[in-house]
Amino acid sequence: IFVESNHCSGEADNVPKSRFGNFQLTIEVYIKNLWNGVKRIMLALLNTRNLQLWFVCFIFSISILLFMLFLSMNGVYLQIGFPPGGIPHYLLKCFFIFSACISSIYLIHNLFRNKGDTAIVVLFSFFILTFTFVTTLISSEAKYTTFSSPNNQASFVVIETFHGEIYQMSNTRLFMKHLANTRTDDGYKPFSEGAYRLKWNEPNELVIKYAFNYMTPDDYSQEVTVKYK
């Protein structure tokens, strides 16, 4: 009886070890397959000039989009030139999203040669591009109103769509900093209609009064105060 008890205990002790061994083997196989896949991709990129160019295009586009995302989280947006001229941030974002989607489709199709993978990437890119196109179309209908501080050291722009957004332009004309939002009734755009007043306070404080709806364009009942640099 004592011998049988030891034998059963030994089998029980071997169960978790066996399970751990299987898990370890699975991880090793996964890492090996992943490494082989990475080597295959790198060899394909090294041997094909077109793939190199598309890979650089994809990495560059994703890097710019991540950079723009980081800036927007801090209220800063790329804006080449002074609105409404120049290249607005939504067009820049649209361009780099388009570039990332097209390059990703080309890379997946030529690296893996799998119709299923290519179809998934194409479908995913289609939804992204459709959403980007709609938001870009809405932004393109925006109204722009610009003004400067009394000493002309600071420039501002108000962008009105369904609501208003107040920005300060950088001196380099490459960025704009979000300062505040404005709210009106039923999409009314008081700044493009000239229904607003500016009051400049020291130091670097701007008080903006504006009308709330088109029924009372002379009633500047709404007010927003912003600090600028």
Side-chain angles (χ1 to χ4, degrees):
I1 299 174
F2 180 77
V3 173
E4 291 178 356
S5 175
N6 283 341
H7 179 69
C8 293
S9 176
E11 289 182 350
D13 292 340
N14 287 333
V15 171
K17 292 181 180 179
S18 177
R19 290 177 179 175
F20 177 76
N22 292 335
F23 176 75
Q24 185 178 18
L25 180 61
T26 302
I27 293 298
E28 291 176 353
V29 171
Y30 175 78
I31 294 176
K32 183 179 180 179
N33 291 336
L34 180 62
W35 175 243
N36 289 335
V38 172
K39 287 196 298 183
R40 186 178 65 177
I41 292 174
M42 295 308 296
L43 287 173
L45 291 174
L46 291 173
N47 294 330
T48 308
R49 183 171 181 81
N50 285 339
L51 285 179
Q52 293 177 8
L53 295 176
W54 282 106
F55 182 74
V56 171
C57 179
F58 176 76
I59 295 299
F60 179 74
S61 300
I62 293 297
S63 299
I64 295 297
L65 289 172
L66 291 176
F67 177 64
M68 294 178 68
L69 176 62
F70 172 77
L71 291 178
S72 65
M73 293 174 63
N74 293 276
V76 179
Y77 298 86
L78 286 177
Q79 171 70 42
I80 301 177
F82 199 89
I87 306 176
H89 65 92
Y90 62 85
L91 280 184
L92 290 171
K93 182 173 65 174
C94 181
F95 172 78
F96 286 111
I97 289 177
F98 179 81
S99 175
C101 289
I102 296 301
S103 57
S104 65
I105 292 173
Y106 184 90
L107 289 172
I108 294 297
H109 176 71
N110 286 275
L111 288 175
F112 297 99
R113 302 290 181 178
N114 187 298
K115 293 182 179 180
D117 293 338
T118 303
I120 292 175
V121 176
V122 169
L123 185 62
F124 185 68
S125 299
F126 172 77
F127 285 112
I128 292 178
L129 291 175
T130 300
F131 176 78
T132 303
F133 175 77
V134 171
T135 55
T136 301
L137 189 62
I138 294 174
S139 298
S140 65
E141 298 296 325
K143 300 291 185 180
Y144 295 85
T145 302
T146 60
F147 48 84
S148 300
S149 60
N151 57 7
N152 292 321
Q153 296 298 312
S155 300
F156 305 86
V157 58
V158 181
I159 303 177
E160 294 176 290
T161 51
F162 296 106
H163 67 284
E165 298 177 347
I166 305 171
Y167 297 89
Q168 180 183 359
M169 292 295 302
S170 67
N171 294 329
T172 61
R173 296 297 190 265
L174 295 177
F175 301 92
M176 58 183 187
K177 171 70 174 178
H178 179 260
L179 300 178
N181 293 329
T182 62
R183 301 293 178 184
T184 58
D185 181 42
D186 198 23
Y188 176 60
K189 300 176 176 60
F191 292 89
S192 61
E193 298 291 336
Y196 69 96
R197 292 290 181 270
L198 305 177
K199 181 181 179 183
W200 303 92
N201 297 330
E202 296 292 342
N204 296 347
E205 182 181 88
L206 169 61
V207 179
I208 305 175
K209 295 184 177 182
Y210 59 94
F212 180 68
N213 56 52
Y214 69 92
M215 298 291 292
T216 55
D218 297 324
D219 181 16
Y220 306 131
S221 58
Q222 303 300 303
E223 179 179 312
V224 60
T225 302
V226 297
K227 294 283 188 178
Y228 63 93
K229 296 181 180 180

